[in-house]
Amino acid sequence: MTPSLEKLIGKFSSLPGIGRKSAVRLAYHVLSMPEEEARDFAEAITAAKKSVTLCPDCQIFSEGGRCGICSDPTRDRAVICVVEDTRSAEAIEELHEYHGLYHVLHGVISPMDGIGPDRLKIKELLSRLDGSVKEIIIATNPSVEGEATAMYLSRIIRPLGLKVTRPALGLPVGATLEYADGVTLLKALEGRTEY
Amino acid sequence: MTPSLEKLIGKFSSLPGIGRKSAVRLAYHVLSMPEEEARDFAEAITAAKKSVTLCPDCQIFSEGGRCGICSDPTRDRAVICVVEDTRSAEAIEELHEYHGLYHVLHGVISPMDGIGPDRLKIKELLSRLDGSVKEIIIATNPSVEGEATAMYLSRIIRPLGLKVTRPALGLPVGATLEYADGVTLLKALEGRTEY
């Protein structure tokens, strides 16, 4: 295997969810592309990297300054939904039911990986909390790191007099109790609602 | 294939989750068993069917009359958790956190399958609602039929002045927003709790 092929395989396998075998397959696919197509592919990578920046307000990946959501005058500026990454915001956007703003942390607190609060876009979040914001929905993932990050943020934001909420934990719609994991089932029972 | 083998395959494939191929494999496995073992297997089926009955109170599968949970004087008799099947009750028991009683409906309302409320153990549930019961947790599965059944029960039970609750819908613990299904994500956001 030539060094340049080995390097390309290495690049592909550094992507999330791509193992060595898939990386080899993808790399050979690139080799079999017409030269122009390969060049287009390479340029798409550098161009995307160059032109996609962070929205100065919500830190979402955006092209050309302020993002479409922050620029939209119909969005409810009283609510900010804090998420780990842009994809989480997109998942919520796809519901077409949330009309507030977002704030992307670009990560979660993870001491194991050496990621402290200073590595996240928390300073930028705090600078947005003027009097117009009334509720912060902390929609980090319900993982150990996501919970720790939510806890950290809540301790900073609650003393400012804002309402801090977190999406419900519980049984996913369509689940069966029999196969639910114990922690989720317990949270669902603890968080049971009047019906 | 002999008629008796065909019949055995048919019996195995009538079990939930067993397709034709698995049924063939299982049937051949039975044929290769020593005769005594096959007889033991057959007897285990008839014996279980004969000796396992329903608890006269909660309708859980039980051996020899009233079940261990209903007979346990330390259980909280003010709360009844209504479930679709015995396995759901077992899943909750395994949490070791719920100390009330159960009531097994043995199914859900499903007009498509011709199952109306009269086919479920609802009469038996209502006969248990004396003054000592304060809360009914309707823990049917969060499926279309489970929801319909919960709605039906709630409409009957709420007018009796009892508290009716339902386990929380939301993100399962450890989930990621990105991959959550839309309905679940929406329920999680709607049911967000103060944090």
Side-chain angles (χ1 to χ4, degrees), chain A residues 107-117 120 145 148-149:
Chain A
V108 274
I109 297 170
S110 176
M112 296 279 283
D113 303 314
I115 300 175
L120 308 179
E145 292 83 5
T149 307

Side-chain angles (χ1 to χ4, degrees), chain B residues 1-30:
Chain B
M1 206 165 282
T2 70
S4 63
L5 178 55
E6 191 57 68
K7 182 163 182 190
L8 182 58
I9 293 170
K11 290 296 172 195
F12 272 121
S13 61
S14 72
L15 298 177
I18 307 278
R20 168 90 192 171
K21 280 193 181 177
S22 298
V24 170
R25 191 163 41 80
L26 294 169
Y28 275 109
H29 181 79
V30 167

Side-chain angles (χ1 to χ4, degrees), chain A residues 135 141-142 164 168 174 177 192 195, chain B residues 135 141-142 164 174 177 188 192 195:
Chain A
E135 179 180 358
N141 290 327
V164 177
L177 270 71
R192 66 187 183 267
Y195 188 75
Chain B
E135 178 180 357
N141 290 327
V164 176
L177 270 72
R192 65 186 183 269
Y195 188 74

Side-chain angles (χ1 to χ4, degrees), chain B residues 56-132:
Chain B
D57 290 352
C58 74
Q59 311 291 321
I60 230 167
F61 282 127
S62 165
E63 208 150 341
R66 209 151 171 254
C67 76
I69 296 167
C70 287
S71 314
D72 182 346
T74 69
R75 305 289 299 213
D76 178 3
R77 268 141 223 292
V79 189
I80 293 180
C81 181
V82 178
V83 289
E84 296 184 11
D85 45 38
T86 297
R87 291 159 305 168
S88 294
E90 280 169 0
I92 296 173
E93 275 303 280
E94 279 165 20
L95 303 175
H96 301 293
E97 292 284 345
Y98 174 71
H99 307 295
L101 302 176
Y102 293 94
H103 190 86
V104 180
L105 296 175
H106 288 278
V108 274
I109 296 170
S110 175
M112 297 277 284
D113 303 313
I115 301 175
D118 50 306
R119 293 271 293 277
L120 308 179
K121 303 291 185 186
I122 294 176
K123 205 167 68 255
E124 290 80 354
L125 172 61
L126 299 178
S127 76
R128 294 175 69 191
L129 305 184
D130 53 22
S132 62

